[in-house]
Amino acid sequence: MNNLGSLVGFEFKKILHNKSVIISIVIAFIITVFSCFTMIIGSNRQSNYGSDTMSNYDAMLLDKSYEKEFDGRLLDGELIMEASRAYQKIDENAAKYTESEGYQKYARKYSGIYGLIDAAFAQPGKAFNVNDFQAISEETANNYYAFRESQYRTNLANNGLWSSSDIEKVMEMDEHVQKPFVLSYKDGYQRFFVLSMTTIAILLLVISFCFSPIFSNEYTKKTDALILSSKNGKGTFIHAKIVTSLLFSFSLTLLFILSAYFVCMGIYGFDGTFAQLQLLIPAITYDFTMLDAAVLILVTSIFAAFLHTSICLFISSSSKNIIIPMAVSVVLIAAGMFNGIDNNFFIKLRYFLPSAMGNFADITTQLVFNVFGIQIMLYQAVCIVAAVVGGLLLLLSYRNFKNHQVG
Amino acid sequence: MELCIDRISKQYKNKIAVDRLSLNLTSGVYGLLGANGAGKTTLMRMICGISKPTSGEVKFNGMDVSEERYRDALGYLPQDFGYYPEFSAQDFMYYMASLKGLTKSQAKLKTKELFEIVSLTEVAKKKIKTFSGGMKQRLGIAQALLNNPQILVLDEPTAGLDPKERVRFRNLISELGKDRIVLLSTHIVSDVENIANTILVMKNGQLIHKGALEEIIMIIKDKVFECTVDDKTAEHLIAAYPVINMRSEGENTFLRLVSDEKPHHTAVNVSATLEDLYLYYFSEVIENE
C-alpha cells in the first residue's frame, strides 16, 4: 500500500505541533495585514489644509473622491491641458505648493494626471516639474503618447540591460496597449503592489522558519535511524516531506498574498480592477489590467515560494545544523531586495532570487531574455528558472536524505 | 532464512570501526557483546542499511540491504532512538506503521496488540514527552515489532528497563527468536546469557568469538580462580592478572581473576561465566574508559 497520504498527514502534524512555527505565522500574518493600513493611519503635513488637520484616512477618501471624478475619462491632450490650467492656479509664492490653497482647491484633484505624464516629458538631467506642467503647450500635451514612447525607448537604450532587438520586442508590445489611457481610481491595487516587496519578504521568512529544519530536525532528533531503516523511509517518506512542504508553502503563499490583496481592496475598494496597468507605470508596454498584474504577482510569488522552499529543503537535507539553512535563506531574501550592484550579470541574477520574484517593481521590469532564439520576458523567465532550479533542488534533497548516513 | 554479512568493513577517517567481518545468521537469537567502540552499533547500522559499508555486502535471502523488500523484513530499535515528543504513543505507532507500509486497519490492530505486550495500553494516548525512560524504551521495542519483521535488530534494548520489565522482554525475545533472526547488543551480560542461542563477541571491529554460551565459556574454562589474600599479595596479583572482581573483606581482599595457572596457593578454580569472559576480554577497555 502506498502510505503517501497518511505520511503527508503526519508531516503536517509535525509542523503544526511546533509552537514556534505557529507563533511565527501568526506574527507574520499580523504584520502583513497591519502594513496594509499604514498609509491611512495618523496624519502628515501634506494632509494639512489651512488650519485643519486632515487624517490620512480622510485624505485617502478625499483623493479617492477626486480620482473617481475622472473614472472613464481619456488621458488625452484636452485633459492634460485642463490639469495644467488647474495647476496654474497654485500660488507661485507658496513655500511648498502642495500645502497652498490653490493646490488643495484646484490642482490636487489633477495630481494623479501630473503623476502620470511627468516622466514622459522629463529631459536628460532635468525633471518635469510643476512649473513645466503649468507652462505645457497644447501641442506638447497632444503628443504625450509619442513623448512617452520616445522617452521609454531612450531609457532602455541608455541602460546596458537591453539590446536593440530587446527594445524592439518591448516597444512592439505597446501596439496592443490602449491609447489614450482610460483613467480609473486604482489606489487599492497601487497599495497592494507597493506592499508586494514587504509581503514576499515576510512570506519567505516564514517559509525559511518552517522548512529550514524539515530534514535536519530528523538528523538532530535522531529519528533518521528509524525512518531510514523502514520500508518507506527511503522513498515514500521523502516524497511525503516534499509534498507537505510544497503544499504548506503554497497555502502560506495564498494566505499572505491574498490577505494583503483583500485587505487592500477592503480599505481602498476594488476600483480599477480592469484598468490599464499604465495608470501605475505609464511607460510600461504590457497590455495588462490591474487584475492581470495582481494575478501575475500571485503566480510569481507561488514560484518564488516554490524555489525558496526547495532551497530550504536542499540545505536542510545536506546539513545537520538547523541554523545554516535558516541563515542562508535569510541572506538570499536580503540579496533579492538589495538593488545596489553595478554589474549587469548580478543585476539580472538578482531578479531570479525569490524575494525579487514576488516584488511588483522587479517583476514588471521589461527585461527580455533570448532562449534558443525565442524572446521571453522576465516574468516568464523567472517562473521557468524557478521551476527548473527548484525541481533540481528537490531531486537533490531527495537524494541527500536517501543517502544520509546515520552516525 | 539467512542473513549473509560478507567481509563487511566500515572505515571512518582514521578509524576502522568494523574490519572485514563475515557472518551468516539463520533464525535464532544472537547476542552481540563488546565494549564501547568495539563496532557493535556500526555493524548493526550497516545491517539496517542506514550506514553504508566501506566494503562488503549484507544480504537477506538474496535481497540487498539497499532494497525496499529488505527493509520490509527489518525491525530496528536503535540505541538512544529519536521520537516526536508532541506525538502520543499511539500516533507514533501509527506513524511508524505508515513508514513500514502497514494499512490503517493493520496499524490499529498491531498497535493494540503490541501495546498489550509492552504494557503501554493505559498510556497509549499520552504524549511521549511525558514518558519515563523505560516507557520510551518499551515504545521503541513495540515499534520495532510493528511489521512482524524477519530480522530484528535491537541495539541496547534493555537499557532503562526495570528488572521485571527486563525479564518480560527477555521472554518475548526468546519467543520471537524461534522463527526469525534476532540480533541484540547489550552491556547487560545476563540478558545475553539467558536468551541468546549464539553469542558474538566483537573487539576492535572484528568478530573474535562466535558460538553457544557453553562454547564461548570454554575459552576461559579452568582459568577462573577465586582467592582471599592480604592486601600486599592482592596488589601483586592485580598487577599480574586480569581481575574480574575484587572486594575488601576485613583486612584481606577477595579476588576473582583469570589465569592460565593457579595464581596463588590459596586460589580455588571455579566455573566460568559469560561475565568473566566479557570482563576478561574487555578489562583493558573498561579500565581506559
Side-chain angles (χ1 to χ4, degrees):
Chain A
M1 181 205 167
N2 190 335
N3 302 85
L4 183 67
S6 56
L7 285 172
V8 166
F10 280 113
E11 287 306 318
F12 266 108
K13 213 169 198 175
K14 282 190 213 170
I15 294 172
L16 297 174
H17 271 160
N18 189 340
K19 281 177 192 151
S20 55
V21 163
I22 302 298
I23 291 168
S24 73
I25 292 173
V26 171
I27 291 173
F29 183 75
I30 291 169
I31 293 171
T32 303
V33 171
F34 178 76
S35 62
C36 299
F37 286 92
T38 48
M39 293 302 284
I40 56 164
I41 296 171
S43 60
N44 61 40
R45 278 175 62 83
Q46 287 197 349
S47 304
N48 295 342
Y49 173 39
S51 57
D52 297 329
T53 300
M54 190 180 277
S55 72
N56 281 331
Y57 180 70
D58 288 335
M60 181 274 284
L61 291 178
L62 183 63
D63 285 333
K64 184 175 181 177
S65 68
Y66 283 155
E67 281 197 47
K68 281 184 79 66
E69 283 181 32
F70 296 101
D71 271 3
R73 281 194 68 178
L74 301 177
L75 181 67
D76 53 13
E78 189 187 327
L79 182 57
I80 293 170
M81 289 311 294
E82 184 183 319
S84 172
R85 285 192 292 276
Y87 264 68
Q88 286 164 13
K89 290 176 183 166
I90 295 172
D91 182 4
E92 285 176 17
N93 301 319
K96 196 173 180 187
Y97 81 87
T98 52
E99 289 174 18
S100 70
E101 189 180 344
Y103 173 78
Q104 294 293 345
K105 207 168 177 179
Y106 305 108
R108 181 171 177 160
K109 66 165 75 172
Y110 292 95
S111 60
I113 290 156
Y114 172 49
L116 274 175
I117 63 166
D118 59 349
F121 296 117
Q123 299 295 316
K126 187 183 181 300
F128 183 77
N129 61 27
V130 175
N131 295 332
D132 298 323
F133 188 37
Q134 288 167 330
I136 195 168
S137 70
E138 202 166 334
E139 188 190 352
T140 307
N142 284 332
N143 283 322
Y144 164 67
Y145 292 97
F147 276 102
R148 168 187 164 270
E149 186 187 331
S150 160
Q151 187 72 280
Y152 195 34
R153 193 181 280 277
T154 308
N155 287 345
L156 296 183
N158 290 340
N159 190 313
L161 297 175
W162 281 267
S163 68
S164 55
S165 66
D166 294 344
I167 294 169
E168 287 316 309
K169 163 87 177 169
V170 172
M171 299 319 296
E172 258 175 41
M173 288 191 282
D174 201 38
E175 289 168 15
H176 304 287
V177 173
Q178 185 186 348
K179 291 178 278 275
F181 301 156
V182 182
L183 297 182
S184 173
Y185 176 69
K186 66 331 176 179
D187 282 7
Y189 282 91
Q190 186 166 15
R191 189 77 197 125
F192 171 66
F193 294 143
V194 168
L195 283 175
S196 61
M197 188 170 86
T198 317
T199 311
I200 190 76
I202 292 171
L203 168 68
L204 296 178
L205 274 174
V206 171
I207 287 175
S208 302
F209 198 77
C210 292
F211 304 120
S212 290
I214 198 106
F215 283 113
S216 47
N217 249 356
E218 307 291 359
Y219 304 150
T220 53
K221 284 187 174 175
K222 295 182 179 174
T223 41
D224 52 353
L226 286 180
I227 293 164
L228 289 165
S229 61
S230 66
K231 182 189 172 192
N232 291 327
K234 291 187 178 183
T236 313
F237 168 80
I238 313 175
H239 290 140
K241 279 257 184 220
I242 291 171
V243 168
T244 308
S245 305
L246 295 181
L247 280 177
F248 202 82
S249 161
F250 179 70
S251 309
L252 285 175
T253 309
L254 289 185
L255 174 73
F256 280 81
I257 304 291
L258 293 183
S259 299
Y261 175 80
F262 283 111
V263 173
C264 286
M265 296 307 129
I267 295 168
Y268 297 92
F270 281 90
D271 308 66
T273 297
F274 300 106
Q276 298 167 268
L277 188 59
Q278 280 70 21
L279 300 187
L280 278 179
I281 313 170
I284 204 165
T285 61
Y286 286 133
D287 181 23
F288 288 166
T289 63
M290 298 292 172
L291 183 62
D292 292 337
V295 171
L296 177 69
I297 287 293
L298 178 63
V299 170
T300 55
S301 296
I302 288 169
F303 276 96
F306 171 74
L307 178 60
H308 197 71
T309 305
S310 306
I311 293 169
C312 290
L313 292 188
F314 170 67
I315 305 169
S316 177
S317 68
S318 326
S319 168
K320 286 185 180 176
N321 189 322
I322 296 168
I323 304 297
I324 292 172
M326 187 73 198
V328 171
S329 52
V330 169
V331 167
L332 280 176
I333 295 168
M337 297 165 76
F338 181 68
N339 198 4
I341 298 174
D342 188 20
N343 174 297
N344 283 354
F345 173 76
F346 286 110
I347 289 172
K348 283 189 176 178
L349 183 67
R350 187 189 68 83
Y351 287 110
F352 291 86
L353 295 178
S355 48
M357 285 173 64
N359 179 14
F360 174 77
D362 287 325
I363 209 65
T364 50
T365 302
Q366 293 189 282
L367 276 179
V368 182
F369 294 86
N370 293 285
V371 184
F372 304 117
I374 301 167
Q375 288 180 305
I376 57 168
M377 303 308 292
L378 174 69
Y379 71 85
Q380 296 165 318
V382 295
C383 292
I384 294 168
V385 170
V388 172
V389 175
L392 277 174
L393 289 174
L394 290 180
L395 281 176
L396 289 172
S397 310
Y398 181 93
R399 194 174 147 269
N400 281 345
F401 190 79
K402 189 181 176 184
N403 296 332
H404 171 68
Q405 303 287 298
V406 177
Chain B
M1 186 187 295
E2 190 180 32
L3 179 68
C4 298
I5 299 161
D6 185 21
R7 290 192 298 172
I8 201 171
S9 294
K10 180 75 183 184
Q11 182 167 6
Y12 295 107
K13 278 176 189 169
N14 298 318
K15 190 180 183 263
I16 298 174
V18 174
D19 189 9
R20 289 163 294 169
L21 190 147
S22 293
L23 197 57
N24 276 2
L25 307 180
T26 52
S27 59
V29 179
Y30 295 82
L32 189 56
L33 279 180
N36 286 340
K40 303 187 300 293
T41 296
T42 306
L43 174 65
M44 289 185 145
R45 283 175 178 162
M46 288 193 287
I47 291 171
C48 293
I50 58 171
S51 183
K52 204 175 175 184
T54 312
S55 63
E57 59 180 21
V58 179
K59 284 190 173 179
F60 174 66
N61 291 349
M63 291 180 275
D64 189 77
V65 68
S66 59
E67 289 180 46
E68 191 179 290
R69 288 185 303 150
Y70 179 102
R71 293 196 300 277
D72 196 22
L74 179 74
Y76 177 40
L77 171 66
Q79 185 182 13
D80 187 22
F81 81 101
Y83 57 92
Y84 305 99
E86 297 293 331
F87 275 25
S88 69
Q90 185 173 274
D91 276 348
F92 181 71
M93 287 292 275
Y94 290 168
Y95 174 61
M96 290 308 301
S98 297
L99 280 171
K100 289 166 186 266
L102 273 67
T103 61
K104 279 186 181 172
S105 53
Q106 285 172 331
K108 277 187 180 174
L109 206 68
K110 265 309 221 181
T111 300
K112 199 178 169 203
E113 179 190 322
L114 288 165
F115 275 175
E116 288 289 335
I117 293 171
V118 299
S119 309
L120 286 176
T121 308
E122 300 285 304
V123 291
K125 292 193 173 158
K126 286 198 171 173
K127 287 185 177 178
I128 307 175
K129 68 178 179 186
T130 64
F131 280 18
S132 67
M135 287 160 86
K136 282 178 201 158
Q137 197 66 6
R138 281 184 276 151
L139 180 64
I141 293 162
Q143 68 75 29
L145 297 170
L146 263 170
N147 56 331
N148 195 21
Q150 288 175 276
I151 313 164
L152 187 57
V153 179
L154 307 166
D155 199 352
E156 303 282 353
T158 49
L161 299 184
D162 64 33
K164 195 178 147 198
E165 286 168 340
R166 265 177 49 212
V167 170
R168 277 188 65 190
F169 176 69
R170 286 198 311 225
N171 294 338
L172 174 66
I173 296 293
S174 295
E175 194 62 32
L176 291 168
K178 285 178 184 167
D179 56 355
R180 72 195 78 209
I181 298 164
V182 180
L183 177 64
L184 67 103
S185 83
T186 178
H187 282 115
I188 303 165
V189 179
S190 60
D191 284 347
V192 174
E193 207 164 28
N194 282 297
I195 54 172
N197 312 113
T198 308
I199 294 163
L200 310 166
V201 184
M202 276 188 81
K203 191 174 183 180
N204 297 329
Q206 292 182 321
L207 192 64
I208 54 170
H209 290 293
K210 178 195 169 195
L213 177 65
E214 300 73 28
E215 294 171 57
I216 293 278
I217 289 174
M218 283 295 282
I219 298 159
I220 52 167
K221 194 184 176 221
D222 300 330
K223 290 182 183 176
V224 181
F225 294 89
E226 283 181 0
C227 57
T228 305
V229 294
D230 60 70
D231 289 353
K232 199 176 173 186
T233 312
E235 266 179 44
H236 165 72
L237 292 173
I238 289 165
Y241 303 100
V243 175
I244 291 161
N245 191 15
M246 64 181 278
R247 65 172 179 267
S248 186
E249 287 187 350
E251 289 180 358
N252 294 325
T253 304
F254 167 82
L255 292 174
R256 184 180 174 100
L257 44 79
V258 181
S259 169
D260 289 335
E261 54 200 30
K262 202 172 182 178
H264 189 258
H265 68 277
T266 61
V268 181
N269 189 242
V270 292
S271 50
T273 65
L274 186 61
E275 193 165 18
D276 294 329
L277 180 85
Y278 182 87
L279 292 168
Y280 172 64
Y281 272 119
F282 304 114
S283 56
E284 274 177 45
V285 182
I286 292 163
E287 277 167 22
N288 291 337
E289 274 172 7

